[in-house]
Amino acid sequence: SARPGVVASSGEDGCLCWFDLRTKDVLLTIEAANKPISSICFKSGNEDHVYISAGNEILSFDIRMGSQSKPLETYNYNRDEINQIAVSSKGYLAAADDSGDVKIVNTTQKCLYKRLREAHTSICSSVQFIPWRPWTAITGGLDSKLAVWDFSKGRTLFSIDYGSPELQNSSSSGSTGQCLNPAFVHSVAVSEEGILGGLYKVCAVARGDGAVDVVDLEYELAPAKSKGPSRARGSTMSSKTTDLGDGSNNQCQRRRIHLDYSMGGHTAAVSCVAFSAFGEKGKLLVSGGNDASLKVWDWSKGFSPETSSNSELVLDIDVKKK
């Protein structure tokens, strides 16, 4: 955000590259690792400091040192290959790996802080921190589960199992033509605090069955707050599956929105999601899929009880590649 028009990327060649999108020039290349880099993220509040994951290792670099930059920090707490890393505003680093575990590292004290385990029975593909709840993180996995954690205590606050029969039945109606893949969670994006006037505190979920879900996190977390620590771990919130939005306006106030093929959505697995940083921040949701298309959604209409509008697809781009 400090360098508009510049994008950072990491690749299977072990290199970090900075590109100027206006001139298409390569501004910087760092040979960061001798193995594929699976994830990259910036230190909160300091875009000169970048973290990467390669294999089961996390490395950090100061890009002001240029192409000769050497690792500032190295962490080796994960057993298996890391799929995604994220950094919180308080300096905690989360790393989700193939074993289903998530390691939380305290980058200030440079030590392992917590191990989040037992929520996922398969690969943990995605992890993000929730900015308005500084001790809360969210993970998604190839067991079709989404889990929200109090990482200070190492326990789950709630989880959603997209592979459960109730949720599969709720989301399958009207989705004729959608791919038949399992509802693996490939990517999770969390909205920034204060978007759209502070009305919405949500996350978006990229699913393997071609759907994108938007979940009202504050609604899901409210019972956890009122019931306290005795709440059952890993509940699937089955009582709320009736609140699953299906794109139609049959709810006075929906708590989950389901964007699928019937609304012009993806015909293959959705691999990534992101809230817009352009225009009105967070107003649009961008999803990319293995159907080689990029979709842009005006998602918040589906949550509003005051309007008769539904969430809608506002842009569909065929990018020719998965």
Side-chain angles (χ1 to χ4, degrees):
S1 58
R3 301 176 178 87
V6 176
V7 64
S9 69
S10 59
E12 292 190 358
D13 57 358
C15 288
L16 296 174
C17 295
W18 268 247
F19 294 95
D20 187 326
L21 297 181
R22 294 160 296 188
T23 63
K24 299 183 182 177
D25 291 337
V26 180
L27 302 178
L28 173 66
T29 301
I30 299 173
E31 293 181 7
N34 58 4
K35 60 186 86 169
I37 299 173
S38 57
S39 183
I40 176 176
C41 67
F42 294 101
K43 184 175 182 177
S44 180
N46 182 4
E47 291 185 348
D48 290 327
H49 192 147
V50 66
Y51 292 95
I52 66 160
S53 59
N56 65 344
E57 192 172 48
I58 302 169
L59 305 140
S60 72
F61 295 88
D62 185 338
I63 67 164
R64 292 171 298 185
M65 304 299 290
S67 59
Q68 302 305 311
S69 179
K70 300 299 180 188
L72 302 175
E73 306 160 45
T74 303
Y75 301 110
N76 288 283
Y77 296 119
N78 292 75
R79 284 184 302 162
D80 288 336
E81 187 168 331
I82 298 169
N83 296 302
Q84 187 171 31
I85 54 175
V87 179
S88 79
S89 59
K90 288 187 173 293
Y92 290 96
L93 177 67
D97 69 28
D98 279 358
S99 73
D101 287 359
V102 178
K103 299 297 197 305
I104 306 289
V105 178
N106 184 329
T107 61
T108 305
Q109 297 182 0
K110 297 182 171 40
C111 64
L112 181 65
Y113 176 74
K114 214 63 122 185
R115 178 184 176 189
L116 310 183
R117 56 185 303 194
E118 296 177 359
H120 295 289
T121 56
S122 182
I123 290 168
C124 188
S125 56
S126 187
V127 61
Q128 296 291 337
F129 289 99
I130 298 179
W132 60 89
R133 286 175 174 262
W135 296 102
T136 311
I138 186 166
T139 59
L142 301 195
D143 53 1
S144 302
K145 287 180 182 174
L146 184 77
V148 174
W149 303 79
D150 178 342
F151 70 84
S152 69
K153 297 181 174 65
R155 64 183 178 93
T156 53
L157 299 173
F158 80 87
S159 66
I160 300 172
D161 184 355
Y162 289 112
S164 67
E166 307 90 59
L167 284 187
Q168 286 184 326
N169 293 337
S170 298
S171 61
S172 61
S173 57
S175 300
T176 308
Q178 194 169 328
C179 68
L180 300 176
N181 293 343
F184 294 159
V185 177
H186 290 297
S187 175
V188 177
V190 179
S191 63
E192 288 188 25
E193 189 171 8
I195 64 163
L196 304 180
L199 292 175
Y200 304 102
K201 294 179 176 180
V202 300
C203 75
V205 183
R207 294 171 36 166
D209 59 358
V212 175
D213 273 28
V214 184
V215 179
D216 183 338
L217 289 175
E218 286 303 288
Y219 175 72
E220 302 284 357
L221 285 164
K225 192 192 298 182
S226 62
K227 290 182 182 177
S230 62
R231 177 159 181 195
R233 173 180 292 191
S235 71
T236 58
M237 307 297 285
S238 58
S239 62
K240 288 187 187 147
T241 57
T242 53
D243 284 345
L244 183 73
D246 58 0
S248 63
N249 200 38
N250 59 359
Q251 308 283 344
C252 62
Q253 190 167 6
R254 278 161 271 161
R255 300 303 185 178
R256 299 180 194 166
I257 298 173
H258 186 71
L259 308 173
D260 64 15
Y261 179 86
S262 66
M263 302 173 66
H266 295 281
T267 56
V270 187
S271 53
C272 50
V273 281
F275 287 95
S276 60
F278 51 86
E280 188 177 357
K281 186 170 286 190
K283 177 178 171 58
L284 301 175
L285 177 66
V286 185
S287 60
N290 289 350
D291 55 358
S293 73
L294 200 65
K295 313 277 186 183
V296 181
W297 306 88
D298 188 346
W299 60 271
S300 63
K301 289 181 178 179
F303 273 117
S304 175
E306 289 85 22
T307 71
S308 59
S309 302
N310 303 320
S311 300
E312 62 179 355
L313 182 69
V314 296
L315 188 61
D316 189 351
I317 304 170
D318 181 5
V319 294
K320 308 294 187 203
K321 293 182 179 180
K322 292 182 181 182

